[in-house]
Amino acid sequence: MSDRTPQEWRDILAGVNYPEEVKKGGSRRERRSAKAVHRHEVRRRSHEWVREQRRHDPIRPAGAVIIVVLVLALGAGARWVWPGLLGEKQPAGASAAAPADPAPDSGEAKVPAISAPPSAVPSASPSPSAPPADLANPDRVAEQFMRIYLTRNPPQDQKHAEVVERAKAFMTPALVVNLSEHTDPAWDKLVSRGGISKVRSVAVAPAGKDLPGDSPLRVWRQATAAVDVDGYTDYSENTVLQLEMMTSGNGKWHITRILGL
């Protein structure tokens, strides 16, 4: 069977016989809607007839081709006659050329659209949101940062910057920008292993002697997080980071530098 042109499909659709109540009832918009319903009902009955015939006698390949072409012809014809039925946009100028039925209140033509029910649209699980930040104690800042920053779900987060965004309340703006613009080897490792990480525990202690001691405005802390990874292979690891934290004297501490990433 040779391929048909769009004009031939329109001729086929124009030859469809509609019931008199469909062709003559109501306004032009109502007739269009009734025709669409009629075509949908014809397709539904066709599918039911095919299923019933297949119960008694398996359909032959040639017959299957004819039925598929018939269904496709009805669908293609519907797209040419009424593009809005399938949610498609009309070409520029088409709405101006077609006569419109003005609505009583606004004077604008409204074309009914078929939309998917809310249950048909998949909803993605939201990423875990960060709890309110406790910035009064540097040890507490280090612990909260480690828990939030190292809890990662690559399929959900999509990118490392999303993890940085969740933990930004504990960092200075300059550090947030720095982490967002650079990749994290631990993130890349997690992605390559198809893993999702969760922090089991965090231990915070003063930094070693090779780093400066505490002052009223700056401290260093060594934070060790026990991380469990669920992926292609489940495993656990310890992540150790050296955190520099500073305060401007307002009682709030923020991480300014991270060593160990």
Side-chain angles (χ1 to χ4, degrees):
M1 181 181 294
S2 59
D3 294 337
R4 297 182 184 273
T5 64
Q7 181 60 46
E8 289 175 330
W9 288 126
R10 287 196 291 271
D11 293 340
I12 291 175
L13 192 63
V16 177
N17 293 324
Y18 296 100
E20 291 298 322
E21 61 271 15
V22 172
K23 293 190 292 184
K24 298 182 178 180
S27 64
R28 181 177 181 179
R29 188 193 315 170
E30 292 172 342
R31 291 197 300 273
R32 284 181 175 178
S33 178
K35 288 180 179 180
V37 172
H38 177 74
R39 291 194 297 271
H40 176 76
E41 182 63 21
V42 169
R43 289 196 298 270
R44 185 187 64 80
R45 289 199 300 266
S46 298
H47 287 303
E48 291 180 353
W49 181 84
V50 170
R51 286 195 297 267
E52 182 63 26
Q53 292 303 313
R54 293 185 67 180
R55 292 193 187 100
H56 301 288
D57 184 20
I59 191 167
R60 296 179 180 178
V65 171
I66 294 174
I67 292 173
V68 169
V69 170
L70 178 60
V71 173
L72 292 178
L74 290 175
R79 293 180 61 183
W80 282 97
V81 173
W82 193 0
L85 178 64
L86 301 178
E88 299 177 0
K89 296 183 178 179
Q90 293 184 345
S95 59
D101 297 327
D105 53 348
S106 63
E108 297 179 356
K110 297 182 179 179
V111 180
I114 298 177
S115 58
S119 59
V121 180
S123 57
S125 301
S127 299
S129 57
D134 179 5
L135 305 175
N137 184 283
D139 289 2
R140 179 64 176 149
V141 170
E143 178 188 357
Q144 293 175 95
F145 170 78
M146 295 290 282
R147 288 187 180 277
I148 295 174
Y149 183 65
L150 296 178
T151 297
R152 302 170 172 182
N153 187 339
Q156 202 172 77
D157 296 330
Q158 297 295 315
K159 53 186 179 180
H160 172 245
E162 183 66 25
V163 180
V164 177
E165 179 69 18
R166 285 203 299 272
K168 70 177 183 179
F170 305 98
M171 299 179 284
T172 59
L175 181 58
V176 171
V177 172
N178 185 284
L179 290 182
S180 298
E181 294 179 348
H182 295 82
T183 186
D184 179 1
W187 169 269
D188 296 337
K189 174 184 175 182
L190 193 65
V191 172
S192 67
R193 298 187 177 185
I196 297 174
S197 63
K198 295 182 180 180
V199 176
R200 183 170 10 101
S201 63
V202 177
V204 179
K209 296 181 180 180
D210 54 335
L211 294 172
D214 292 356
S215 72
L217 299 180
R218 183 181 69 177
V219 300
W220 280 90
R221 291 291 183 267
Q222 176 175 289
T224 304
V227 181
D228 295 329
V229 177
D230 181 9
Y232 300 141
T233 302
D234 298 345
Y235 62 94
S236 299
E237 60 183 4
N238 290 331
T239 300
V240 181
L241 300 179
Q242 306 287 346
L243 308 176
E244 178 191 55
M245 287 171 281
M246 298 185 68
T247 179
S248 59
N250 59 0
K252 295 182 179 180
W253 294 83
H254 290 88
I255 300 171
T256 55
R257 194 166 22 155
I258 302 176
L259 303 180
L261 287 180

